[in-house]
Amino acid sequence: MVHVHHKDMRFDRERFLAAYSAALDALWPPHASFEVAGPFGVTRGLRLGPATGEPVVLLHGWGSNAVAWYPTARLLGDSRPVYAIDTLGDAGRSVQHAPISGPDDSAAWLDGVLDGLGLDRAHLVGESYGGWLALNVAARWPGRVASLTVLDPIGLVPLRKRFYVWIVACGSAALAPRPVRHRAATWLTAGALREDGLRRVSLAAVGFKQGIRPPAVLDDASLRRITVPVTVLLGARSAAFDAVRAADRAALLPHGRVEIVPGAGHALRLDRPDVVDRILTG
């Protein structure tokens, strides 16, 4: 058993930023940083790729940050502008000044970031909570969105109670030695546990006080209002929800394409990168 001392549970922002920068240096291709100030705080992120082309905006899952998108940034950055956002209220370089209360505020925040970046229309790619952010803004301001690709997004069906047990188990496994972590990645269907390059960032984020909460399920009317093309990829072994039930709800999307990915869990992009890469480059 791995014991975590109480002092290790206090969030140290300077230590976190040092780990974040080290991971960027080790994993990311050449890039620039950006920041957009708004009513909820200062949103920061990473940009790479050419100056022209249809932009792609990457929205990470809960408890993560823009650094985790490095494989996707490498994949897409040669041919189009790519923006990876540190979601406000999560453990990244963004700084929250005001609470984001509910779906309307979340959509207003993301719309404001797109506006601040000068992106009239963008392709949104989101995983888990980032998938909900993408669906939520598209339901309210579809004119800002060219298309969506959402990876095991929350918000289609209620989360399983055992999802929270899975999160705790993954957190405990992350503290274990490398061989144990990698075995646990298979047991838990949690590809993130194999991400040795991001481990220091994850450990440095321990103790961060989240400024976001699990969102409510999107209602039928909201899903039907999303009129842009949407690709929904669901992990067949997702700990978050039943993939078949989620696929049934996603069928309400007017221009939705739904695929349940065998062998994938909630960390779908890491469990089955071959499938995700095929979709993103297709």
Side-chain angles (χ1 to χ4, degrees):
M1 179 180 294
V2 177
H3 295 278
V4 180
H5 297 293
H6 177 71
K7 67 179 182 179
D8 294 328
M9 299 300 291
R10 293 196 297 261
F11 179 69
D12 183 331
R13 184 165 178 80
E14 289 188 8
R15 174 172 170 260
F16 170 79
L17 292 176
Y20 186 112
S21 295
L24 280 182
D25 291 342
L27 300 172
W28 265 68
H31 62 276
S33 295
F34 67 79
E35 70 174 48
V36 176
F40 300 104
V42 178
T43 301
R44 296 188 171 96
L46 310 170
R47 187 205 181 283
L48 76 161
T52 59
E54 291 187 313
V56 178
V57 175
L58 306 175
L59 301 166
H60 61 77
W62 184 89
S64 185
N65 48 62
V67 181
W69 284 109
Y70 73 92
T72 307
R74 289 182 179 276
L75 178 71
L76 300 177
D78 286 341
S79 59
R80 55 204 310 181
V82 176
Y83 298 82
I85 293 174
D86 279 339
T87 298
L88 204 64
D90 217 330
R93 293 196 294 190
S94 297
V95 180
Q96 187 172 9
H97 297 319
I100 295 177
S101 302
D104 288 339
D105 280 357
S106 292
W109 161 72
L110 184 52
D111 181 68
V113 173
L114 297 177
D115 193 53
L117 292 172
L119 306 180
D120 293 331
R121 282 168 59 84
H123 299 269
L124 305 185
V125 180
E127 57 184 357
S128 186
Y129 181 80
W132 175 83
L133 285 172
L135 291 166
N136 181 59
V137 76
R140 285 160 172 76
W141 286 292
R144 299 305 302 266
V145 180
S147 69
L148 303 178
T149 302
V150 289
L151 314 176
D152 220 48
I154 62 174
L156 291 174
V157 292
L159 292 171
R160 290 168 166 162
K161 291 182 180 178
R162 69 181 178 91
F163 179 54
Y164 300 99
V165 177
W166 178 81
I167 290 174
V168 173
C170 290
S172 298
L175 297 170
R178 185 176 187 271
V180 176
R181 289 199 313 275
H182 285 225
R183 287 197 295 272
T186 300
W187 302 334
L188 297 168
T189 319
L193 293 173
R194 296 190 183 93
E195 282 288 310
D196 297 330
L198 295 176
R199 181 170 182 256
R200 187 179 173 210
V201 181
S202 298
L203 293 179
V206 170
F208 179 82
K209 186 177 180 181
Q210 293 284 339
I212 54 178
R213 297 291 181 268
V217 172
L218 292 158
D219 60 27
D220 291 0
S222 293
L223 293 176
R224 291 191 176 107
R225 283 199 302 270
I226 301 174
T227 55
V228 300
V230 184
T231 298
V232 182
L233 298 183
L234 302 167
R237 299 183 61 190
S238 177
F241 44 71
D242 179 85
V244 174
R245 288 186 61 201
D248 288 343
R249 292 284 334 285
L252 294 171
L253 295 162
H255 302 288
R257 169 191 175 190
V258 184
E259 183 176 339
I260 297 177
V261 183
H266 189 55
L268 197 153
R269 177 172 56 90
L270 301 174
D271 294 332
R272 292 296 306 274
D274 56 322
V275 175
V276 175
D277 291 354
R278 168 175 55 82
I279 294 296
L280 293 178
T281 58

